[in-house]
Amino acid sequence: MALADMRTNIKHVVHLMFENRGFDTLLGWLYDEKNPPLHHVPPLKPGQSAFEGVPHDADGNPTVWLPDDPSFFGDGPYTGGQRFIHKGNWGQCYMPVADPGEPWDDVTQQIWGPNGDRSLPPSKLMRGFWLNYQNARFPDIGSPDDILATSTPADLKVINTLARAFAVSDMWCASAPTETNPNRAFSLAGTSQGRKVNCSFDGVPYTGLRTIFGVLNDARCSWRLYSDHYWLPLSEQYFTPYMFPDGMEHGTFRTIDHFRRDVERGDLPVFSYIEPAFFSEIGWPMPPVFGNDYHPPSSLYDGEGTLKRIYDILKSNPAVFNKTLFIVTFDEHGGTYDHVIPPAAFPPDDLSPEFNRYGLRVPTLLISPWVPPSCVFRPLRERDRVTRWRLAFDHTSVLATLMRWLGIRYTKEGDPGWLGRRTRSAQTFEDVITSTHNGTWPAVERYECSDFGEAGAEGTIGATNIPRGVVAAMIERITAFRRTSPEHEAIFADVVATTETEEDLRGHFVRLKQLHGHNRRAGDTGDGCPP
């Protein structure tokens, strides 16, 4: 009766998608043998683990190690060193302080090592993070050991408290083993049309791609997008309408303050989609320089603040919260650590035969008075009956569950909700919604933090606390100019000479985005990017 319970008790779905954090990195210490989850959906089978967190010994010490020598991935015995996954963030807020590798080839190396050797046995997989980060990170920012950090509930109180108070999946993967834009395309349209990378910092719009917003338009279901900050400031355009324009002409776009007022008045639409602040955006209130979406190198605690804000708004009106399902996801792991090997996946369409595997696990929470407290949820079937593939939730699970909830047909081409084969085959999570009321709505608190740790040793920019190396890395990320190029060196020199405050620095980033955000990155041609 789970679908009936969802249709009876849930009248509003609110979806907030953050950025670039692996499951173990944020929630790997949520539960342990002394404090296991209270509920499982479906119920545990004999021999199943109660929670797939960071592997550890009886004393709580991590037992997973990453190699610091490529010989690990070659023939013969491994002769390199070992660096064990670290429990905690070393008390730092910006962890890691460089943006780890997140495109397709980097993810392949994180799973299969520097050579991307797909023939390696499972015992050697998921050991390439340290080597990839060491090679991809900017050499004067922090330490390669930053990639070993895994946050504890004491480090990140907001997301861990909410995960424990409501429901979390420890088998939810990004839809594709790559970066932001393809995964967000899957989350809204069930496919990235064969694109494997972002193509540029701005991103190239997916024109003509039918999304869940078009499906809702046709079904006459209300929806709104809420955000405080513009991706394209000159046109005052949010990220999602820019990247996925099809059907947006019928949308309603409001600020987070409007979201607060809509909750207060009991005027939420059927579906609310919330954008956090991404790097190099502007709006009011002004976001942190690196955004508040958890994306490295932004402060983890700015992300925590965004999650707290939306949860507190919903909780402030019990009548609305009692009818709401709040879904919190992350678009991709962003090069941060997770230990679970991503399973195989159904390609979404004929354009995407290589999309036959998921990305890495990411945190996903279901927050509602109608989900069990302290609940871990997984796919109802552990393996596909035909292929025997291990099953996972992915971002298309949101699409499929929405359409089951709303009674929109979506499993055959020509159906009003058809969003491709991946969505058709997606695992749905309506079974987590029950008829039993969960009245435990905890208060959540975060603490202020601004510590860059080792990265600040090289000196900072102006009167800010932001290290020079971090700024140089962000210039490269926006412009695609390599740090050794004359173009990068000239831009960096100008930024250093004319920056005193964080406001100055934000202005530089926004200006550089307007001038160079469309630049194609090296290697992005031939990965499905339009010419």
Side-chain angles (χ1 to χ4, degrees):
M1 297 298 290
L3 184 58
D5 290 334
M6 185 173 184
R7 289 174 173 170
T8 298
N9 296 320
I10 302 300
K11 305 303 178 186
H12 314 287
V13 170
V14 177
H15 188 190
L16 170 60
M17 178 173 273
F18 286 113
E19 295 258 292
N20 292 50
R21 295 284 176 176
F23 186 87
D24 281 341
T25 301
L26 295 192
L27 295 174
W29 301 99
L30 177 66
Y31 294 110
D32 58 27
E33 292 76 11
K34 296 179 181 178
N35 297 287
L38 299 178
H39 299 94
H40 289 86
V41 177
L44 282 182
K45 297 177 181 177
Q48 282 188 316
S49 62
F51 179 68
E52 285 286 349
V54 177
H56 56 274
D57 61 22
D59 297 321
N61 300 308
T63 55
V64 178
W65 54 271
L66 302 183
D68 61 5
D69 190 304
S71 67
F72 177 87
F73 302 99
D75 295 330
Y78 172 59
T79 58
Q82 293 181 349
R83 280 177 163 82
F84 280 86
I85 291 300
H86 181 75
K87 185 176 184 179
N89 288 333
W90 291 288
Q92 296 179 26
C93 321
Y94 298 82
M95 182 55 60
V97 294
D99 186 7
E102 55 189 280
W104 190 284
D105 289 344
D106 288 278
V107 178
T108 299
Q109 291 174 19
Q110 290 154 15
I111 299 173
W112 284 285
N115 301 317
D117 184 357
R118 301 286 291 271
S119 67
L120 289 173
S123 62
K124 288 193 174 186
L125 302 189
M126 312 305 289
R127 302 294 178 96
F129 291 88
W130 190 92
L131 287 167
N132 178 258
Y133 186 65
Q134 180 193 41
N135 293 333
R137 76 182 186 93
F138 300 101
D140 55 350
I141 307 176
S143 163
D145 289 352
D146 289 353
I147 204 66
L148 305 176
T150 53
S151 300
T152 68
D155 294 321
L156 300 180
K157 296 180 181 179
V158 178
I159 192 169
N160 279 268
T161 297
L162 292 176
R164 189 180 287 270
F166 298 100
V168 64
S169 179
D170 63 356
M171 201 53 205
W172 188 295
C173 294
S175 292
T178 186
E179 52 191 337
T180 289
N181 294 351
N183 272 295
R184 286 185 175 262
F186 269 92
S187 77
L188 297 175
T191 179
S192 69
Q193 294 185 315
R195 293 194 202 176
K196 296 171 67 176
V197 290
N198 286 350
C199 300
S200 67
F201 182 80
D202 278 351
V204 180
Y206 287 83
T207 53
L209 180 62
R210 179 172 169 81
T211 68
I212 186 63
F213 301 111
V215 172
L216 295 175
N217 290 337
D218 292 345
R220 300 184 183 278
C221 292
S222 59
W223 64 269
R224 295 183 194 129
L225 187 149
Y226 297 93
S227 181
D228 283 337
H229 307 103
Y230 297 122
W231 183 246
L232 297 183
L234 293 180
S235 60
E236 296 189 345
Q237 197 167 14
Y238 298 132
F239 175 85
T240 303
Y242 165 69
M243 285 297 300
F244 307 99
D246 188 65
M248 287 293 170
E249 66 274 13
H250 301 296
T252 302
F253 309 100
R254 295 182 175 177
T255 67
I256 304 301
D257 277 344
H258 280 113
F259 178 70
R260 182 187 302 277
R261 289 197 288 271
D262 289 347
V263 170
E264 289 173 352
R265 294 194 297 254
D267 187 35
L268 279 185
V270 170
F271 181 61
S272 300
Y273 191 75
I274 297 179
E275 286 186 9
F278 305 124
F279 169 52
S280 79
E281 290 196 315
I282 64 172
W284 190 259
M286 283 294 180
V289 171
F290 300 118
N292 58 20
D293 57 354
Y294 283 92
H295 191 313
S298 66
S299 169
L300 287 160
Y301 302 99
D302 290 331
E304 290 273 277
T306 303
L307 178 54
K308 169 180 166 57
R309 183 183 182 193
I310 302 304
Y311 168 71
D312 284 347
I313 289 172
L314 288 169
K315 189 166 64 102
S316 69
N317 186 340
V320 170
F321 190 41
N322 272 315
K323 298 184 291 185
T324 299
L325 172 62
F326 178 28
I327 304 171
V328 179
T329 57
F330 287 72
D331 55 11
E332 41 130 343
H333 80 293
T336 62
Y337 177 70
D338 191 63
H339 81 280
V340 172
I341 302 169
F346 290 97
D349 48 50
D350 292 334
L351 292 171
S352 313
E354 292 182 84
F355 289 76
N356 60 356
R357 58 188 174 99
Y358 294 110
L360 272 64
R361 289 191 310 168
V362 291
T364 297
L365 280 63
L366 301 182
I367 299 171
S368 173
W370 300 104
V371 304
S374 185
C375 176
V376 170
F377 68 99
R378 297 165 179 166
L380 282 179
R381 301 194 318 275
E382 186 176 0
R383 295 187 181 275
D384 179 71
R385 294 190 183 98
V386 177
T387 64
R388 304 306 299 165
W389 290 343
R390 188 178 184 190
L391 296 176
F393 292 108
D394 82 318
H395 301 325
T396 63
S397 296
V398 175
L399 303 177
T401 304
L402 283 174
M403 288 188 280
R404 283 179 59 79
W405 170 56
L406 295 171
I408 301 172
R409 299 191 312 277
Y410 70 96
T411 58
K412 295 183 296 183
E413 285 194 66
D415 280 350
W418 175 254
L419 291 177
R421 300 169 195 161
R422 178 73 69 82
T423 306
R424 176 185 63 192
S425 64
Q427 300 294 294
T428 58
F429 50 81
E430 68 273 9
D431 293 279
V432 185
I433 310 300
T434 72
S435 59
T436 302
H437 191 263
N438 173 3
T440 303
W441 306 350
V444 290
E445 298 297 335
R446 71 180 184 114
Y447 60 90
E448 298 299 327
C449 193
S450 60
D451 179 19
F452 277 94
E454 291 183 33
E458 61 170 309
T460 57
I461 298 288
T464 75
N465 75 324
I466 299 174
R468 294 166 64 91
V470 173
V471 173
M474 294 299 99
I475 292 172
E476 178 168 335
R477 180 174 158 193
I478 295 173
T479 66
F481 294 138
R482 295 292 187 186
R483 290 186 73 176
T484 55
S485 69
E487 295 91 344
H488 185 283
E489 290 179 356
I491 291 170
F492 181 66
D494 176 65
V495 169
V496 170
T498 57
T499 294
E500 183 63 23
T501 66
E502 289 191 3
E503 195 66 29
D504 296 334
L505 188 58
R506 182 187 294 106
H508 280 301
F509 288 149
V510 172
R511 176 179 58 83
L512 290 172
K513 180 180 172 184
Q514 292 168 348
L515 292 173
H516 302 291
H518 61 282
N519 292 355
R520 293 299 175 95
R521 298 172 179 175
D524 278 0
T525 56
D527 280 330
C529 297

